[in-house]
Each structure stands twice: as structure tokens, then as C-alpha cells.
Amino acid sequence: MATAGYAQTGLAGKWVTDPPAAPAAAPAAPPAGGVPAGGPGGGGGGGRGGGGRGGGAGAQTRLDFTVDGAKLTGSMFEGGADLEIKEGTVSGKQAKWYTIRPLNGQDFRVNWTADLTDDNTVTLNREFPNGVPGRGAPAAGGAPAAGAAPPTGGAPAAAAAAPPAGGAPAGGGGGGGGRGGGGGGRGGANAAVILHRAK
């Protein structure tokens, strides 16, 4: 009981992402690695992974928790908006709540889970129970598929010389990067966010 009470008290207070630390996760995937990759799939894969983690580490996130027994109240700043914590609960080292914000004429709900990693660190995860409005938009990234046009020309050598802007030998690699950009948005939406106790 004493340990649980300590953990609940430990979640209370203000938490904030550390901007210099967040982008450090992005280089884990080589976003620019598509250039040397000979295969179109390799370039696309790099774009997909890098975009996902990079997208999640963008804007600052802040939490302001008030804990009363098993009840969590307070607010958060995420995605450039101030949001109210709704139906917040605390159990051990974990807090759960949801937020609502208007988006494209709809109420956009996000379920949040914050885990107390240590006295000064919280790991924040999110779920979209009703989906993400307008999520299909990144499909427009398929447009770069035009990069696949050169391979249809029977002369592969000419196709390789065609894209002077992309130093990569395969024009299809650019298309992969475009598709990767769309995937990156999806990956970023679900990436965990690390916050530290505000000084």
C-alpha cells in the first residue's frame, strides 16, 4: 500500500517533453538513407521508419496532473492545443484518461496512458478509439509513383540517368520515400512520448 501511494503521489505535478532529447530518436532510422540504397524498397523503408518516429517527436507535450487517491484531474498541452483531462484514474504507477477536441467538425477522442518510469520520467502512449479524421489524406503520397514511370521505358540505363535531381541511381526510390512519408504520419501518431518532471 505504501508503495502504491508513493507512486500515485509521484505522478502528480507538471511534466514536459525535452525538445533536444525527442529528436534524438529520429536518427534511429535513416531518413536520408534512401539516397545510397540501390533498391526502391530500401529507400521507401527508410522513409517510412524515419518519418514515423520523426513525426511523433514534433511539438512539445506538457502534462499537469493532480492526484487525489485513485482520481486524476488536470490538463495537458498536445498538438498545439490545451486539453482537459477527462475521467482520469490512477492505479499504481499508471494513469489513464481521455481528451476530446473538435477536428474537422467532429469530436476527436484520444485515450491516453502515462506510465511512471522513474521518479522523473513518464512514458506517454495514445490510442484513437474512433480512428483519426482525415487519416486517408497521406494516400496522396502515392503521387510520387510517377517516379516509377522511367522503369516502364525498356531501357533501364536511360531510366537511371533520367532523375538528375535525385543522386540515387533508382528513380523508384523517390516514390518509396513518398509512400514512406505517408506511413511516417501513421507511425508518428502512435509513437510513445517521453516526458520529464518540470523543473
Side-chain angles (χ1 to χ4, degrees):
M1 292 296 291
T3 302
Y6 173 77
Q8 291 176 0
T9 303
L11 279 164
K14 296 184 178 183
W15 304 84
V16 63
T17 49
D18 183 5
V35 174
R48 201 175 307 123
R53 281 181 284 276
Q60 185 184 60
T61 300
R62 298 191 298 268
L63 305 173
D64 189 350
F65 287 161
T66 299
V67 177
D68 182 7
K71 183 178 181 181
L72 175 76
T73 56
S75 61
M76 68 182 296
F77 178 84
E78 192 276 332
D82 289 304
L83 305 168
E84 178 187 356
I85 289 176
K86 297 180 178 292
E87 296 186 12
T89 60
V90 176
S91 177
K93 295 184 178 183
Q94 187 177 82
K96 291 189 175 186
W97 70 96
Y98 72 87
T99 57
I100 297 287
R101 83 168 77 180
L103 184 64
N104 297 332
Q106 303 177 46
D107 283 340
F108 177 40
R109 172 169 173 157
V110 181
N111 293 340
W112 301 91
T113 301
D115 291 288
L116 187 65
T117 308
D118 58 44
D119 291 346
N120 296 300
T121 309
V122 159
T123 301
L124 182 66
N125 287 280
R126 74 198 81 186
E127 291 181 344
F128 307 112
N130 303 317
V132 181
R135 190 167 183 166
T152 57
R179 291 191 297 274
R186 291 190 293 275
N190 295 312
V193 177
I194 306 299
L195 300 94
H196 297 100
R197 193 178 295 279
K199 303 294 185 183

